[in-house]
Structure formats: C-alpha cells, structure tokens
Amino acid sequence: MDAPDPFESSPDETRTEMMKATYDALQKHGYSDLTIQRIGDEFPKSKSLIYQHYDGKDELLVAFLEFLLERFKADVPTDGFDDAREQLRMIVEYSLGSFDSNHTDFLGALTALRGQAPYDDAFRTQFADTDDFFREHLADIVRDGIESGVFRPVDPERTAAFVVATINGAQMQRVTTGNDEPVRAARDELSEYIRTQLVVEEEP
Amino acid sequence: MDAPDPFESSPDETRTEMMKATYDALQKHGYSDLTIQRIGDEFPKSKSLIYQHYDGKDELLVAFLEFLLERFKADVPTDGFDDAREQLRMIVEYSLGSFDSNHTDFLGALTALRGQAPYDDAFRTQFADTDDFFREHLADIVRDGIESGVFRPVDPERTAAFVVATINGAQMQRVTTGNDEPVRAARDELSEYIRTQLVVEEEP
C-alpha cells in the first residue's frame, strides 16, 4: 500500500479552501461583482480544481450557501443552559448583542445570498430550510419552558415565528444600514416582550 | 419660442421608463445576472440614452434603489384613519397581510438591493434613511396614540424599532423562502403584542 501523499489535502480540506476563497472574494468585491476568476484569485491551489468540483459560478454559490447555512446552524447556542428562559435569553443576546467584525461579515454574506433568493429556487429552498430549523429550535425551547413551568402556556410556533422574524429583521437592518441603535432598541423591546409575555411572573 | 415636440418625452418620463426597464430586467434575470445590456433590452427607446443619463450599471442601480425607496415611502399608509390604533393596525396588515404578485415582486427587488448594501456605502446610506423614515413614522403614530390616550405610555422609539424589525424580517422571509405560514404566525403575534402591550384596555 502506498503511503499517503502528505501534500495532497483531503477532498474536505479542498472544499473548505474553496469556500474560504469564495467568502474572501465576496467580502472584497460584493456579490454582484463576484466572478469565478476572482474566487480563483483567493484560492491557494490551481483554479482548475474549482471547475473540477463545480460546473460554474451558480453551482459553486449554491454549495457556498449550503456551507454558510451549516455554519449558521452549528453556531446556534443549544447546550449547557440552566433553563429555557436562560437559553432563549442567550439566543437573543448572541443574535442581536454586540458583534465583532467576523460576525458582521458572516451576516453580510448571508444577507447578500438572501438577496438572490427571490430569483433562485435552490436558494429559496435552502433559506426556507434554515429558517424552519431556527424556528423549530426556538419552538422547542418555548415548549420546554412551558412544560417546566418557567413560561406561560403560549402558542410555541407562533411565538417562535415572531422571535425569528424580529431577529432576522434586526440583523438584516444592522448589516444593510450600518446603524446599530435601532437594533439595540429592537433587542431591548424583544427582551421586554419575553419577560412580560412569556416568562411566568416570579413570586415577589 | 419653438413648440414642444409632441414625440419627445419629458426627462421624467424617460427616467421612469429606464427605471421600469431595470425593474423588468431584474425580475427576468435576478440581481447577479443584471447587465446594462439586459436593462437596455427592456427599454423601449435607444440604449444610448441610458449611457447619457448614467455613467454605468452602478450609478443606474443607485438611481433605481432611490426610485424604489421613494415608491416604498409613498406607499406607507398615512392618512384617513380614525385613531393611532387603527393606523398601526393598517400598517401591519398592509405590510404582512395577503400580497398580490406585484407586491411580492416589489419586495423581492428591494431584498435583492438590500443584499448589495453590506458591500456598498451608497446603498447602505439609502437603506438607513428609509428604515429611519419608516421607524420615525411609526414612532409618531405611537406618540399620537399615547397623547390621545389609546396607547399606554411606552417608549415610542423602542416600540417602533421593534415593530419595524419584525415587519422587515417577516417580509424578507416571505420573499426569500416562499413560505407564508411563518409570516402569518409572526403577524398574528405582532397584532397580539400591539393589543396587549400597547393598546389601553377598554372598559368592559
């Protein structure tokens, strides 16, 4: 058996490098000026590898969207919370709290790809799946909270849909206006809504 | 003085036709495949007129965004309401109620242009102005409602920021997922929030 070539990276590593190159090219040029050529310029290996993996820009970008959305799902805080109230609080804080520039860049990339979804079935399907995932995750938290007695007996699906819409809108506003203040105001009111509408009043 | 040429359209009419051509090309090809050539194909007059008015695609699209956002502002319901409660209810219904395909196309176009904003200062400034306009309009309604005693003494700016974020997020979800049900759920919960958190309870 041949020893593996230490300089040959795994298919997964090559894929990750292509995704990184696409991300870097997007940050540098924006979505409308994104070309395979420019993605290739950010790719450390031979550009021809990109064409071996993807039929063209459209197919590469669908894979890129899938990659970003997998990252998004993996980043949703899921474990290690005392109770549903704390878990929901952390999700709001993580989604609408202070961002570093990496987080802003990431949401900017997702927003750019969202902008294609009205005209692209494959993008629409992926965003529908991701929004469903996030909403179902929140609905599960609300159901847990109701069962364990920390939340009132609200409609979990409706509450989750509302929270997801608010988070999606505020995040989009942040990266498309550069204006943080309305995002903070929306977050404060969302926290107040959770405190007064969802959380069972504690004994005085 | 020469008589005006009846076949020469006004500069405003030509501008409107260019905007219409850009809109039609966007609906047909999507944002990333939008070119001056394709916009020209939808334009009933000489393509050279486009170049006389705009230095290139970027300048044309900034004008197009301005045109869409003026339309958006003009469409926000402002007059003829009995009270602030009714006005706010109409805005939520108009923003998140049942849409015809024109409304969906219009919001799809705005969402596509939003996708450019993370990478374009001019777009970001225009979306910041429009979000400010919508939010200030809602804050004025909330203030009116408090003054006239139909709303509780809430923070008008914070309440408006929250409602705008929810509407923006739900609209974006609708046009980028094709899934209406979560939008309806978010709207129902927003209406409930307005009823229970904002509106002063009526005498039984």
Side-chain angles (χ1 to χ4, degrees):
Chain A
M1 206 176 89
D2 291 337
D5 177 359
F7 299 104
E8 186 185 280
S9 56
S10 70
D12 261 17
E13 192 186 314
T14 300
R15 178 174 173 267
T16 304
E17 283 172 344
M18 281 183 211
M19 297 297 104
K20 173 84 167 59
T22 308
Y23 191 73
D24 291 344
L26 177 62
Q27 300 302 335
K28 217 177 259 186
H29 304 290
Y31 193 89
S32 69
D33 295 326
L34 197 61
T35 57
I36 288 268
Q37 181 64 39
R38 284 174 165 162
I39 294 168
D41 291 343
E42 306 294 325
F43 186 55
K45 294 174 184 163
S46 162
K47 286 185 177 65
S48 66
L49 267 175
I50 298 178
Y51 289 101
Q52 279 173 38
H53 280 74
Y54 302 105
D55 264 346
K57 184 178 145 186
D58 288 353
E59 200 180 304
L60 172 58
L61 287 176
V62 169
F64 178 60
L65 174 58
E66 203 175 332
F67 179 82
L68 287 189
L69 293 178
E70 286 304 319
R71 286 281 302 273
F72 171 80
K73 289 180 185 177
D75 280 354
V76 173
T78 51
D79 287 323
F81 299 102
D82 288 346
D83 62 18
R85 188 179 41 188
E86 176 68 8
Q87 194 172 0
L88 190 54
R89 202 186 66 73
M90 277 305 295
I91 285 177
V92 171
E93 179 56 33
Y94 172 79
S95 305
L96 301 178
S98 300
F99 282 7
D100 59 18
S101 64
N102 283 340
H103 200 161
T104 305
D105 288 349
F106 181 72
L107 285 177
L110 277 183
T111 302
L113 294 167
R114 280 254 190 202
Q116 286 307 109
Y119 310 107
D120 188 305
D121 286 343
F123 278 37
R124 234 172 10 254
T125 303
Q126 289 204 41
F127 278 109
D129 287 351
T130 305
D131 283 351
D132 284 353
F133 168 85
F134 190 30
R135 200 174 54 250
E136 273 312 306
H137 179 57
L138 283 176
D140 285 344
I141 295 172
V142 174
R143 264 186 290 269
D144 282 356
I146 295 169
E147 271 171 37
S148 61
V150 294
F151 290 161
R152 300 167 197 260
V154 298
D155 178 334
E157 298 290 338
R158 202 172 89 167
T159 301
F162 183 58
V163 173
V164 168
T166 308
I167 287 175
N168 271 343
Q171 284 184 333
M172 177 184 73
Q173 284 174 218
R174 170 179 269 161
V175 294
T176 60
T177 66
N179 189 359
D180 257 9
E181 218 228 293
V183 174
R184 276 198 298 272
R187 182 196 58 192
D188 289 349
E189 187 62 19
L190 178 59
S191 300
E192 178 79 3
Y193 159 83
I194 290 169
R195 200 177 62 75
T196 60
Q197 297 301 98
L198 203 55
V199 174
V200 170
E201 272 180 68
E202 283 166 29
E203 302 290 326
Chain B
M1 207 174 90
D2 290 337
D5 177 358
F7 299 103
E8 186 186 280
S9 54
S10 70
D12 261 17
E13 192 186 313
T14 300
R15 178 174 174 265
T16 303
E17 283 172 345
M18 282 182 209
M19 297 297 102
K20 173 85 168 56
T22 307
Y23 191 74
D24 290 344
L26 176 62
Q27 300 301 335
K28 216 176 260 185
H29 305 289
Y31 193 89
S32 69
D33 295 328
L34 197 60
T35 57
I36 288 267
Q37 181 65 40
R38 284 173 165 163
I39 294 167
D41 290 344
E42 306 294 325
F43 185 55
K45 295 176 182 160
S46 162
K47 286 185 177 65
S48 66
L49 266 175
I50 299 178
Y51 289 102
Q52 279 172 39
H53 280 74
Y54 302 105
D55 264 346
K57 184 179 147 187
D58 288 353
E59 202 179 304
L60 171 58
L61 288 176
V62 169
F64 179 61
L65 174 59
E66 203 175 331
F67 179 82
L68 287 189
L69 293 178
E70 286 302 320
R71 286 281 302 273
F72 171 80
K73 288 180 185 178
D75 280 354
V76 173
T78 51
D79 287 323
F81 299 102
D82 288 345
D83 63 16
R85 188 181 40 190
E86 177 67 9
Q87 194 171 1
L88 190 55
R89 201 186 67 73
M90 277 305 295
I91 286 177
V92 171
E93 179 57 34
Y94 172 80
S95 305
L96 300 179
S98 299
F99 282 7
D100 59 18
S101 65
N102 283 340
H103 200 161
T104 305
D105 288 350
F106 180 71
L107 285 178
L110 277 183
T111 302
L113 294 167
R114 279 256 191 201
Q116 286 307 107
Y119 310 108
D120 188 306
D121 286 343
F123 278 38
R124 229 164 25 247
T125 303
Q126 289 203 41
F127 277 109
D129 286 351
T130 306
D131 283 350
D132 284 353
F133 167 86
F134 191 29
R135 199 172 56 251
E136 273 312 306
H137 180 57
L138 283 176
D140 284 344
I141 296 172
V142 175
R143 264 186 290 270
D144 282 356
I146 296 168
E147 271 172 36
S148 61
V150 293
F151 289 161
R152 298 168 199 262
V154 299
D155 178 333
E157 298 289 337
R158 203 172 89 168
T159 301
F162 183 58
V163 173
V164 168
T166 307
I167 288 175
N168 272 343
Q171 285 184 333
M172 177 185 73
Q173 282 175 219
R174 168 178 271 162
V175 295
T176 61
T177 67
N179 189 358
D180 257 10
E181 217 228 295
V183 174
R184 276 198 298 271
R187 182 198 55 191
D188 290 347
E189 187 62 20
L190 178 59
S191 300
E192 178 80 1
Y193 159 84
I194 290 169
R195 200 178 61 76
T196 60
Q197 298 300 97
L198 204 54
V199 173
V200 170
E201 273 181 66
E202 284 166 29
E203 302 291 325

